Amino acid sequence: MSAIDFPDSLRRQPRIGLLGKLVLLHFGSLLIFTTWAFGGQAPWARQGIAAWGAVGVLLFITACWTRDKSSDDNTWPALRYLWPLWLYDLLVVVSCFNPGFREIVVAGERSLVLGDPHPWLPSAARPLLAAKELWQFNVIVLSCFTLFLVLPGRRFVRGVLFLLGANAVVLAVFGTFQKLAHTDGLWFGLVHSPNARFFSTFIYPNHWGAFTLLNTAVCLALLFHALRRGGTRDAWHSPVLLGAVVTLLLAASVPLSASRSSTALMGLLLVGALTHFLGRLIRRRREQRESALLPVAGIVLAVLIATAAVAYISRDVITQRARLTSEQIAKIAKEDTLNSRLTLYRDTWRMAAEKPWFGWGLESYAHVFRVFNTQRAAELWVWIPFYAEAHNDWLQSLAETGFVGTGLLVLLILLPLLAVPWRRVDSAVPRYLLTGCFLVLLYAWVEFPFANPAVLLTFCATFSCALRYAKLDLRAQQEKIR
């Protein structure tokens, strides 16, 4: 009897080998460590990511070697998809040997002064910092890309997605209890937070917002997969209802964290998912020649009740942020100049325009921007506001690595995306994952989510899983045709 005579449930399921198990173990431990260790932003956490990530690089090399020799699909994937990363690495490595600043000691304090770098080569203001940041970026990207290489079936991809979503939900519950307890520090007050508006284990609420956007998209992807798969009498007797409640619990943590821009993007994501679900429900009811009015009305009512409950729980935070927003709008209307954020963007663009090709060097923004910062505040004396980040990842990338480096990062995303014939992909899973990634890329125009290692790791993992799931979905369609 041929394989095509067996029903789908009896077909041989793909198995994962030793290498795949090691990759999953490494990624899971890296994810949990990074997210629970203050989002990876503590200095010791970054050192841990750099050290443990080295194992991920070794696994990546092993996966490329074994796949290149045995697979007839996507030969040399590390070259086909990752050549922009290798060129980006080359750009930063060259810049480390061409320092743009030199360190001097004035009155016992160390200061940076403009050096004499080679004008036609990339340069770095702080070569050591650039090298450390480049290594962290590579270990995260390569550890996640290895998932694309080794996961043999869609159920394994969903397993990784379940790990991502479950970890985020636990963090959200932890952060919610911590918020409702009005603690004055991380880990229920055990660790002092440099930012009063922290949430869960994340120091900056907007980083939590970006992290939650990605993971809510992951939960929605799993929900719609469960809906499509069926196998139960109705939604009330399936994991869909529990999954929807858990997803709303995760999404509700964003307004509770006081992140305004993330709350707006989360609302956009949930409204889109609700519209998709209602459209699917109406279409199915019409196919069954039944009225969709009652179930649609019930779902809309449930959503309104859930929204009111979230607003009630977050009422103090929402009131505080609304008051701050009105004060900022009144200040902008009163002054003749643009607000500080737009001034910051303008000055960052001036910094980028000074060295448009290769920029000032990776991790140079906090040190070089002082020269271009035009903001001043006069009280008893004049002081200059300090910015470690540009609050715009796109502009900061242009300032640090120029149009060449930023273009290579864009190609690192576009190349694998363009290699997938998306019109032939049936599953909604990769589309929801990519929607979450797109929202964070959009968010990076007004904030700096990718400065947080946990956000970068989740973004790369979600992106890799979306690509792998799409490839496996196309492969499954071809096997059915055969």
Side-chain angles (χ1 to χ4, degrees), residues 316-357:
D316 294 336
V317 176
I318 294 174
T319 301
Q320 178 186 2
R321 300 302 288 169
R323 185 186 307 114
L324 179 59
T325 301
S326 62
E327 291 174 356
Q328 291 174 340
I329 294 175
K331 183 178 179 181
I332 295 172
K334 182 179 179 180
E335 295 177 354
D336 295 331
T337 58
L338 294 175
N339 62 24
S340 60
R341 181 62 65 88
L342 294 180
T343 304
L344 173 63
Y345 293 164
R346 182 195 62 196
D347 293 341
T348 302
W349 174 251
R350 287 177 50 244
M351 176 181 168
E354 190 76 16
K355 287 192 173 184
W357 291 106

Side-chain angles (χ1 to χ4, degrees), residues 200-250:
S200 191
T201 60
F202 284 63
I203 299 173
Y204 193 52
N206 287 340
H207 287 161
W208 171 258
F211 175 78
T212 310
L213 273 172
L214 289 167
N215 284 287
T216 302
V218 167
C219 292
L220 289 172
L222 294 175
L223 276 177
F224 278 95
H225 167 75
L227 279 172
R228 181 180 180 182
R229 183 179 181 181
T232 54
R233 284 178 294 171
D234 50 45
W236 300 100
H237 297 83
S238 74
V240 173
L241 182 61
L242 177 61
V245 173
V246 170
T247 302
L248 289 177
L249 176 65
L250 176 61

Side-chain angles (χ1 to χ4, degrees), residues 5-253:
D5 295 327
F6 288 100
D8 292 343
S9 59
L10 298 179
R11 290 180 181 177
R12 185 174 62 87
Q13 295 292 331
R15 294 183 178 181
I16 192 165
L18 176 61
L19 176 61
K21 293 177 181 178
L22 291 176
V23 169
L24 291 177
L25 177 63
H26 174 264
F27 172 76
S29 58
L30 183 63
L31 173 72
I32 294 174
F33 171 77
T34 304
T35 53
W36 286 89
F38 311 112
Q41 286 194 286
W44 60 267
R46 290 182 180 273
Q47 294 173 2
I49 294 171
W52 186 234
V55 178
V57 176
L58 293 177
L59 292 173
F60 165 77
I61 295 173
T62 305
C64 286
W65 178 257
T66 56
R67 182 181 175 89
D68 291 342
K69 293 193 302 182
S70 62
S71 176
D72 58 353
D73 181 32
N74 295 337
T75 305
W76 295 102
L79 181 61
R80 179 179 180 182
Y81 297 132
L82 295 183
W83 64 262
L85 177 64
W86 311 137
L87 291 181
Y88 183 84
D89 290 345
L90 178 62
L91 185 154
V92 177
V93 169
V94 170
S95 72
C96 291
F97 291 95
N98 188 33
F101 286 75
R102 56 188 178 88
E103 192 175 79
I104 62 173
V105 179
V106 180
E109 295 186 1
R110 298 182 181 274
S111 303
L112 291 177
V113 296
L114 190 64
D116 188 25
H118 194 287
W120 298 105
L121 292 177
S123 63
R126 301 295 300 271
L128 182 59
L129 292 180
K132 290 181 178 179
E133 182 68 17
L134 180 67
W135 176 251
Q136 178 183 275
F137 179 72
N138 273 265
V139 300
I140 289 177
V141 171
L142 297 181
S143 295
C144 294
F145 188 78
T146 310
L147 296 172
F148 173 81
L149 297 177
V150 305
L151 294 179
R154 287 174 291 182
R155 65 187 180 98
F156 293 102
V157 181
R158 293 193 296 269
V160 173
L161 297 178
F162 182 83
L163 174 63
L164 286 167
N167 180 62
V169 169
V170 175
L171 281 165
V173 173
F174 176 82
T176 300
F177 280 111
Q178 186 175 250
K179 192 76 173 182
L180 296 178
H182 302 287
T183 57
D184 56 357
L186 297 160
W187 287 93
F188 285 91
L190 295 177
V191 181
H192 171 72
S193 175
N195 185 1
R197 293 192 298 110
F198 61 89
F199 189 85
S200 191
T201 60
F202 284 63
I203 299 173
Y204 193 52
N206 287 340
H207 287 161
W208 171 258
F211 175 78
T212 310
L213 273 172
L214 289 167
N215 284 287
T216 302
V218 167
C219 292
L220 289 172
L222 294 175
L223 276 177
F224 278 95
H225 167 75
L227 279 172
R228 181 180 180 182
R229 183 179 181 181
T232 54
R233 284 178 294 171
D234 50 45
W236 300 100
H237 297 83
S238 74
V240 173
L241 182 61
L242 177 61
V245 173
V246 170
T247 302
L248 289 177
L249 176 65
L250 176 61
S253 67

Side-chain angles (χ1 to χ4, degrees), residues 376-393:
R376 300 292 185 272
E379 294 178 356
L380 297 178
W381 57 84
V382 176
W383 59 276
I384 303 174
F386 172 75
Y387 289 97
E389 308 288 345
H391 291 263
N392 185 317
D393 279 337

